[in-house]
Amino acid sequence: MAQFQFVMRSGPTPGVTFPLEGDQLIIGRDSSNSVAINDAEISRKHSRLSFQGGKYVLEDLGSTNGTFVNGQRLAGPVVLKPGDVVSLGEQIVLMYDAINMDPGATMASPRHAARVAPPPVQHVVAPVYTPAPVYSGVPAKKTNLTPIFIGGGVFLFLCLCVSFFWWIDATYRWCTFFPFIPGC
């Protein structure tokens, strides 16, 4: 018999498993939910899992921070596959997994499932979703270089003028360049 579970990869209790049992499961902050995660980023009734045709279908219930599967925000119901990464908001990351159990094995009660470790299983490793940087809509501040160029030009002009007059004075060419000076 195949059983499905969520394993918390990041959030308030990393490593905790949530066995998924039932046809309709609600995920959210409220303690009465099938999968209860006490975190302010999660809505009271955040998303719903429906068991259809041997598979779970996940849909967002109008949550504030959104439900994501493999980094894509849900716009409608999505069929989950083992290895899918389900994110609730930006900080809560759950790995969806299928485990094979012995039908004769003792199973933990769903009410206490978050406190009981499941038998060792192999998990499909998937990358943890990292949200893209948010563009604020404000362009980066640009530096106006015009005053720098004008100041540099004025400085260069003054240096040339000083150099020119120093050369005239050093070579006694005042009368050559300025014949209107008295005494030339």
Side-chain angles (χ1 to χ4, degrees), residues 22-81:
D23 292 336
Q24 294 283 325
L25 305 171
I26 302 296
I27 303 169
R29 191 174 69 233
D30 193 271
S31 61
S32 67
N33 292 328
S34 308
V35 177
I37 302 172
N38 189 12
D39 191 276
E41 193 168 328
I42 297 180
S43 298
R44 285 181 180 82
K45 305 277 185 197
H46 198 95
S47 6
R48 175 179 30 233
L49 281 170
S50 304
F51 197 69
Q52 301 172 7
K55 298 179 181 182
Y56 274 106
V57 177
L58 178 67
E59 61 184 309
D60 188 78
L61 295 176
S63 65
T64 303
N65 294 318
T67 302
F68 302 81
V69 174
N70 299 324
Q72 299 295 315
R73 188 171 186 145
L74 294 187
V78 171
V79 176
L80 293 178
K81 299 176 294 307

Side-chain angles (χ1 to χ4, degrees), residues 49-171:
L49 281 170
S50 304
F51 197 69
Q52 301 172 7
K55 298 179 181 182
Y56 274 106
V57 177
L58 178 67
E59 61 184 309
D60 188 78
L61 295 176
S63 65
T64 303
N65 294 318
T67 302
F68 302 81
V69 174
N70 299 324
Q72 299 295 315
R73 188 171 186 145
L74 294 187
V78 171
V79 176
L80 293 178
K81 299 176 294 307
D84 281 347
V85 176
V86 176
S87 302
L88 308 171
E90 292 183 11
Q91 303 300 320
I92 311 302
V93 179
L94 304 170
M95 171 73 75
Y96 177 73
D97 206 357
I99 57 173
N100 292 320
M101 302 266 315
D102 177 6
T106 305
M107 300 197 51
S109 165
R111 276 282 185 212
H112 303 290
R115 296 180 185 99
V116 178
V121 293
Q122 285 188 327
H123 296 284
V124 177
V125 178
V128 174
Y129 166 70
T130 304
V134 177
Y135 176 65
S136 67
V138 177
K141 187 174 182 181
K142 295 182 181 179
T143 304
N144 185 1
L145 298 178
T146 305
I148 295 171
F149 285 121
I150 291 173
V154 168
F155 180 74
L156 183 62
F157 177 74
L158 290 174
C159 288
L160 287 173
C161 289
V162 168
S163 298
F164 176 72
F165 285 114
W166 178 80
W167 176 74
I168 288 175
D169 192 47
T171 57

